[in-house]
Amino acid sequence: MSVFDCKCVDKTVYRDGNLMEMSPFLKLKHWQWWVLVGINIFFLIAGQAAAVLLGRFYYDKGGNSKWMATLVQTAGFPVLYIPLFLLRPSREASTSSASPPIKVLGLLYFVLGVIVAGDNMLYSIGLLYLSASTYSLICATQLAFNAVFSYFLNSQKFTALILNSVVILSLSAALIAVNDDSGGPSGVSKGKFLIGFLSTLGASALYSLLLSLMQLSFQKVLKSEAFSVVLEMQIYTSVVASCVSVVGLFASGEWKSLQHEMEGFDTGTVSYVLTLVWTAITWQVCAVGVVGLIFLVSSLFSNVISTMSLAVTPLAALVVFHDKMNGVKVIAMLLALCGFASYIYQNYLDDTKARRLRTDVRESHDNSSC
């Protein structure tokens, strides 16, 4: 059947070079769709930058619990019940598509939640042994990993611009890996720096797999047009990840040192509590942006936007923590921004093509009806 068949008017669209099910948000006006995308981009970049800086602050001021740092990355999920309540779909919308069986949803959220917990633990180890700027730049490798997973799991096709973006961002991270002056916080040995580097690299790969699995879940399992499904996925996976983190906190014995850690925090007990609370909230803001962009566009697009923190976090870390910003880091940051621009331009071309195709389909359908 041709894509110009009248039955395909609201079913097919090109996105990232692929013919795929059309997002319901493409029914919005062009500027409205981009506003939604822009809001989620802001959530992702602002949330991620703030969360990374707060995490580094926690370690710098006396925090040492890796499991606590892992827990706060998902423990803020209760705040999402507020927008979830406001964005609940109408009864007609909720009955327009059949919901997956409870067992399927339970298994889906459990598997994704366990992956999230493991990924957060690796990120916590990386941030413990790396400076905030070095940590952020290494995270750019997640785009290269995501490109591979998207190819196999989401039928992502590579254009020259996407391939260029992946290669440039990979080179950006490679520069950090071979830079002897990247270092980490004061007192961190080269061995611990290597552990931090490998942990962050592994976390980036696991994170990329997670994004592709989420996109696959939206397409094959959830199949919902309501944005509330984005919040539900984030809430329920966070519940599972938080439970895993709590088990790890008690099983490791780190819970015994939390009282001493809080009392010995350099900026005081209140600051300790507020740091953990705001870290939890900012990670949830970031997560909503991540999952929202997967829902609106694709997992690869969401991952590319994550690299925009490379233009925010290292500069913010330079001001807040006086991180070293040598020539290699500057070059790595510029490369990352070039890679980001390359992918954004490709998405602009795809978006223009998708809307032109939809217009042609409608015109063809109108002509055939006459």
Side-chain angles (χ1 to χ4, degrees):
M1 181 185 297
S2 169
V3 295
F4 294 101
D5 191 282
C6 63
K7 294 181 181 179
C8 297
V9 171
D10 287 324
K11 293 295 184 181
T12 54
V13 70
Y14 280 96
R15 173 68 62 191
D16 294 334
N18 301 319
L19 189 64
M20 60 188 298
E21 290 293 313
M22 189 188 74
S23 167
F25 291 98
L26 282 177
K27 297 176 184 177
L28 298 173
K29 294 181 180 179
H30 188 265
W31 69 268
Q32 292 174 323
W33 184 84
W34 273 108
V35 167
L36 279 177
V37 172
I39 291 173
N40 282 276
I41 288 175
F42 174 77
F43 283 167
L44 195 162
I45 295 176
Q48 180 170 288
V52 170
L53 293 179
L54 285 169
R56 184 65 261 159
F57 180 80
Y58 166 76
Y59 285 132
D60 283 352
K61 300 304 178 181
N64 196 45
S65 174
K66 294 185 288 293
W67 279 111
M68 177 56 73
T70 301
L71 176 60
V72 295
Q73 293 183 51
T74 53
F77 68 87
V79 302
L80 298 182
Y81 280 106
I82 298 174
L84 178 63
F85 176 78
L86 297 175
L87 294 175
R88 279 290 186 185
S90 64
R91 182 174 298 180
E92 291 181 2
S94 62
T95 57
S96 62
S97 59
S99 300
I102 297 298
K103 291 183 179 180
V104 174
L105 284 177
L107 180 61
L108 173 66
Y109 292 141
F110 176 78
V111 171
L112 293 178
V114 171
I115 295 176
V116 168
D119 187 49
N120 289 345
M121 182 59 176
L122 289 174
Y123 275 130
S124 297
I125 296 173
L127 194 56
L128 175 62
Y129 297 135
L130 300 176
S131 65
S133 57
T134 301
Y135 166 89
S136 299
L137 292 173
I138 294 174
C139 286
T141 56
Q142 65 196 32
L143 182 61
F145 288 119
N146 193 216
V148 176
F149 290 128
S150 294
Y151 177 81
F152 290 104
L153 296 178
N154 309 126
S155 301
Q156 173 74 48
K157 293 182 180 179
F158 292 106
T159 65
L161 287 171
I162 289 179
L163 186 60
N164 179 67
S165 176
V166 171
V167 171
I168 290 177
L169 284 163
S170 299
L171 288 175
S172 172
L175 281 176
I176 297 298
V178 299
N179 180 24
D180 292 335
D181 295 330
S182 288
S186 58
V188 173
S189 64
K190 289 185 177 180
K192 290 183 177 179
F193 172 80
L194 181 61
I195 293 174
F197 176 84
L198 294 177
S199 296
T200 306
L201 194 65
S204 297
L206 196 58
Y207 176 75
S208 300
L209 174 62
L210 179 66
L211 293 189
S212 292
L213 290 175
M214 283 184 172
Q215 181 179 343
L216 192 65
S217 299
F218 282 130
Q219 294 172 344
K220 304 298 183 182
V221 180
L222 300 175
K223 299 179 181 179
S224 173
E225 296 186 355
F227 191 72
S228 59
V229 74
V230 174
L231 296 174
E232 289 176 351
M233 172 174 281
Q234 177 58 26
I235 288 172
Y236 297 133
T237 55
S238 293
V239 169
V240 174
S242 297
C243 290
V244 172
S245 300
V246 170
V247 171
L249 182 64
F250 282 90
S252 65
E254 287 187 1
W255 66 275
K256 299 177 182 178
S257 63
L258 292 182
Q259 181 68 27
H260 179 266
E261 180 178 285
M262 181 171 61
E263 294 174 350
F265 202 65
D266 291 351
T267 52
T269 302
V270 175
S271 176
Y272 177 84
V273 175
L274 289 177
T275 298
L276 295 180
V277 169
W278 280 107
T279 302
I281 292 175
T282 52
W283 273 123
Q284 291 305 307
V285 171
C286 171
V288 169
V290 168
V291 183
L293 289 177
I294 294 174
F295 187 65
L296 287 167
V297 191
S298 70
S299 64
L300 188 57
F301 180 82
S302 180
N303 217 334
V304 169
I305 297 301
S306 294
T307 64
M308 271 301 290
S309 65
L310 300 175
V312 177
T313 306
L315 294 178
L318 179 66
V319 175
V320 177
F321 300 120
H322 307 291
D323 282 359
K324 296 179 180 178
M325 187 58 68
N326 54 35
V328 174
K329 281 188 180 181
V330 172
I331 294 174
M333 184 185 301
L334 292 176
L335 284 174
L337 290 174
C338 289
F340 169 79
S342 179
Y343 186 86
I344 284 294
Y345 183 63
Q346 178 63 61
N347 190 77
Y348 169 77
L349 295 178
D350 290 340
D351 180 68
T352 302
K353 183 177 181 181
R355 295 184 182 276
R356 187 184 302 117
L357 174 62
R358 187 167 177 237
T359 300
D360 291 343
V361 169
R362 283 182 170 175
E363 290 177 354
S364 177
H365 177 246
D366 292 340
N367 292 334
S368 63
S369 299
C370 296

